Amino acid sequence: MPEILPSILSADFARLGDQIEALEAAGCRMVHLDVMDGHFVPNLTIGPPVIESLRKITKMTFDVHLMITDPDRYAPIFIQAGANNVLVHQETCPHLDRTLRMIQSEGARAGVVINPATPVAVLEDVLDVVDSVLVMSVNPGFGGQRFIKNSLNKVRRLAMRKREFGLQFPIEIDGGITLENVADVVRAGVEWIVAGSSIFHTVNPPAAFKEMRRLAHDAAAIRV
Ligand code: DX5
Ligand code: ZN
């Protein structure tokens, strides 16, 4: 069944702990944490201390999306802080196979991310190593952007490869997901759905989470 991963980038940072606890109470099992360094992407966000503090208040899986130029240097520090899944961009990893294996040897699940302009084909030779693949459906850096439709083709292509090779990794999507398009991405083959503004920029984030999960589960039930 698909999982909805609220992205705290759009949360109210003054009430972050409360918002995370409320989502967990609503049945949320995974949360997405965006790390930006102002170099790989033109924005700055959180670092290890925030993850370490949040780790103390929740058992949810931490899906840590590293939008930084030197993931090899920082991945172990984020794992130490409490990251369960560490996601690195293909565009920042000249030795991607080595980086993924390093993350796994440090005790986390290794995910790889591709930008909208990066083809699925570049991942072909690491698909048997990865624990998840995230298809960016916006250009990374900011919440609240519009979904890029070609991402659906990329997800279908990836789902095809996955079937062809008999692999099990979940396909994840990040950027511009709303109540209107969540069913489309599930039907294309997505299992982990990241959603920031469409959950946190509402009056009741736990209710928005539940509604999105309901739509995703309904779409999965009729997926062929
Ligand atoms: C963007 C981040 C996303 C962001 C998504 O670079 O990777 O995780 O929070 O936000 P929405 O869901 O608002 O597009
Ligand atoms: Zn993200």
Side-chain angles (χ1 to χ4, degrees):
M1 274 295 151
E3 295 279 351
I4 308 294
L5 290 76
S7 165
I8 64 151
L9 186 62
S10 297
D12 176 354
F13 277 72
R15 300 171 47 237
L16 191 51
D18 291 349
Q19 293 204 314
I20 285 186
E21 281 171 345
L23 283 163
E24 192 168 23
C28 181
R29 291 188 291 207
M30 299 175 75
V31 65
H32 184 84
L33 303 133
D34 289 301
V35 177
M36 305 186 187
D37 67 352
H39 292 277
F40 176 58
V41 290
N43 199 0
L44 287 160
T45 56
I46 61 163
V50 175
I51 291 175
E52 210 176 321
S53 296
L54 293 175
R55 187 68 289 169
K56 295 183 187 129
I57 63 149
T58 178
K59 292 205 172 3
M60 280 196 279
T61 297
F62 284 175
D63 194 59
V64 178
H65 179 184
L66 298 183
M67 285 162 273
I68 62 178
T69 52
D70 197 352
D72 289 288
R73 176 166 170 199
Y74 293 101
I77 300 168
F78 281 99
I79 295 166
Q80 200 63 40
N84 303 100
N85 308 340
V86 173
L87 297 105
V88 295
H89 272 259
Q90 182 274 341
E91 299 84 3
T92 62
C93 296
H95 307 290
L96 181 58
D97 179 272
R98 177 192 288 155
T99 302
L100 295 169
R101 291 179 197 274
M102 178 272 287
I103 291 168
Q104 290 165 340
S105 73
E106 294 284 331
R109 287 163 60 95
V112 65
V113 189
I114 48 172
N115 275 339
T118 304
V120 164
V122 298
L123 298 181
E124 190 148 318
D125 291 293
V126 290
L127 290 182
D128 61 333
V129 180
V130 296
D131 294 304
S132 62
V133 177
L134 193 166
V135 174
M136 284 306 300
S137 39
V138 298
N139 288 292
F142 303 94
Q145 302 181 78
R146 190 190 292 267
F147 182 82
I148 296 172
K149 281 223 173 79
N150 183 50
S151 317
L152 288 175
N153 295 324
K154 293 174 74 176
V155 168
R156 288 189 201 105
R157 231 169 278 146
L158 188 57
M160 225 160 67
R161 286 275 170 273
K162 187 177 142 178
R163 273 197 301 275
E164 204 179 305
F165 297 158
L167 297 168
Q168 300 299 328
F169 62 83
I171 300 175
E172 182 170 5
I173 201 154
D174 184 6
I177 302 297
T178 63
L179 296 179
E180 283 69 44
N181 63 17
V182 66
D184 294 339
V185 303
V186 170
R187 282 195 289 263
V190 170
E191 283 156 282
W192 291 357
I193 301 142
V194 177
S197 48
S198 58
I199 288 183
F200 288 107
H201 293 175
T202 64
V203 286
N204 188 342
F209 163 80
K210 282 192 198 165
E211 179 61 1
M212 188 172 276
R213 185 179 57 181
R214 185 184 69 77
L215 293 168
H217 284 191
D218 286 356
I222 54 167
R223 184 165 54 189
V224 282

